[in-house]
Amino acid sequence: MAGATLSFTGGVHTLTAPLFSDIAAVFSEEGSLAKLLPGFRARPGQQAMAQAIAEAIRERRCLIAEAGTGTGKTFAYLVPALTGGGKVIISTGTKTLQDQLFERDLPLVRDALKLPLSVALLKGRSNYLCLHRLAQAQHEDLFPSKQDARYLKTIVSFAHTSLRGDRGELADIPDHAGIWPLVTSTRDNCLGAQCAHFDDCFVTKARKEALDADVVVINHHLFFADALLREEGLTELLPACNTVILDEAHQLPDIATVFFGERIGGAQLLELARDAEIAVRAHAGDLAELPARIHRLVSAVRQLRLAAGEFPGKFPAAQLLSLPAFTEALQTLTQVLDETASDLGTIAERSEELGLIAARAQTLSRTLQQWCEINENADDENTDDESTADDDQGNVPLIRWADLSPHGWQLYASPLSVAPIFRNFVENSARSWILTSATLSVAGQFTHYQHELGLENAQTARWDSPFDYEHQALLYVPMGLPLPNSREHTDAVIDAVLPVLAASRGRAFLLFTTHRALQHAHQRLQAAFAERGWDWPLLVQGEASRSELLERFRLEKNAVLLGAASFWEGVDVAGDALSLVVIDKLPFAPPDDPLLAARLEHLKKNGGEPFRDWQLPQAAINLKQGAGRLIRTETDRGVLMITDPRLVEKAYGKRLWRSLPPMRRTRELEEVVAFFEDKSQ
């Protein structure tokens, strides 16, 4: 790059001459990227985005940047980030994009720019094998299933040969395999410097590389975990940096809500009980009464789920606390956990491991007691159903609620708004912030997203997709469909989808807003495929991991995949394998979500209009995510089918479809069939 030099101090590069004037050249048809990338095309939007990010980095500002699919936002932020001076942290929402950045995109841009920068990949500790817990698993031989026991041999062999210990490299073992929690660590159960394997620890090595690197690639969960620890004054997982780039930034409000609140779950307590039982057996076998106490803790954890009722879901704290059986089970659990923590505390000095487990038990006991006490106070004060309390840090109201799965539970205290916390986090750091995604605005406006994160003063910019949606895509809303809250809606959806599947010859994503609708649709489609003699593979979320399903979908070329929330975003299938995306309902959040209900009530009390100001813009962003699965390259063609009549029959529907890419629109099946039959495009 002409006219620029770099000097290095302490492993972090510092600019001695401005590089921003060279960005246009980098993205030109004859530029350094074009020389390394076959088929590279200069895109005005990509170059303009890179220039805007370069200016934000130079001036240490916060920029919210939306880039439509095909803009090339990854390179648009990598080039100015790598040439902008100082240390860079890039955070993504998915492990897939994290790995892609580290293994492909970053090395390519670094080589194109001829910059001698070091790059590190850092994931949450649960992504790395824990040598201590792996040895413990071999010794204890306690596995959830026989299959997990068979996985152990593979994992042990991998631990001896792997340089990074990243469980993602073991593709043959599913992400949901029960053995993973037994051979990885969490912040709660990590022994830290007291561990006998500390010098060889994969997490320790990864963090050291991150400290020394010029560019660190992380994910949002790790980013917020670090932010939380710094707020508490404990430690700093990630090094100080000059620039933070948050890709897939549409996920930040939800992830921040989890991390800036408090939570305790049954799985945590069961893991504590398991670790305590092993440690007691090894270091305190003379105390016969302690294993019995630990077994009572396990029983109390399970009893709380039984007392909460049969149905899974999210519930306000007050609703569960009105159940005598739940209140009694919660009191029992609180007492047993406190007694277990006390008992473990009396033998904590027998070993480092017992000491850490005792500390974990005490922390979890305090968390549970605080959750109970706050709800008791809120109930005594006759507050709304969503129990609230002021957080000591920033006076942010906390919403207390529970998430019940079929066999487990989590108790949450979530901030009513993360805006003041996130705003302080950004404004109190002397660095540049780049937040980017394909879906941050609603009808061209960023107001809703800025309000969620407290970034009303941030600069905003957007670049439309370069794709020719007018010719590449068709938006189809069938006529005569019932409203989505009717019992017959899913059946009507399948009836409307079948002739479109016939025209597309499979090659479809069917995206659902609920798992119940997904399962019913699966049953209907199985029968319909058999009746019509269609041999297209029918893939269903939950039958295999997401990555495995996507790989099968790409290979089969004519498959039909049924998915729920996790397939609405972060899924990239380019080419003819995907030509139809069906969305069964407009993705409004369920109104009985206790956190959403509290936020809507708060908005209403402060003069806002909940539907207009929150639910509608949030649905628009979610709808854009789902629709974004369809067109991924300049040559893709396909139909977006939305089987919710509200999109065209309700006044607010116009605001939603105007947030989508500018596709041609139709309500006629004949036009859809003609679109698929047209070979001239």
Side-chain angles (χ1 to χ4, degrees), residues 466-517:
F467 297 156
D468 184 4
Y469 282 97
E470 179 71 20
H471 294 94
Q472 288 182 252
L474 184 68
L475 172 60
Y476 172 46
V477 182
M479 291 186 290
L481 290 175
L483 288 173
N485 60 352
S486 63
R487 289 185 176 182
E488 61 270 19
H489 180 261
T490 301
D491 285 319
V493 168
I494 299 305
D495 290 340
V497 162
L498 288 172
V500 183
L501 283 176
S504 68
R505 303 184 309 282
R507 305 185 298 155
F509 273 7
L510 274 60
L511 303 179
F512 296 87
T513 53
T514 67
H515 286 276
R516 179 179 298 178

Side-chain angles (χ1 to χ4, degrees), residues 344-363:
L344 289 170
T346 63
I347 58 171
E349 295 182 355
R350 293 197 181 192
S351 73
E352 294 286 354
E353 190 169 5
L354 274 174
L356 288 168
I357 290 173
R360 273 170 65 191
Q362 290 164 5
T363 299

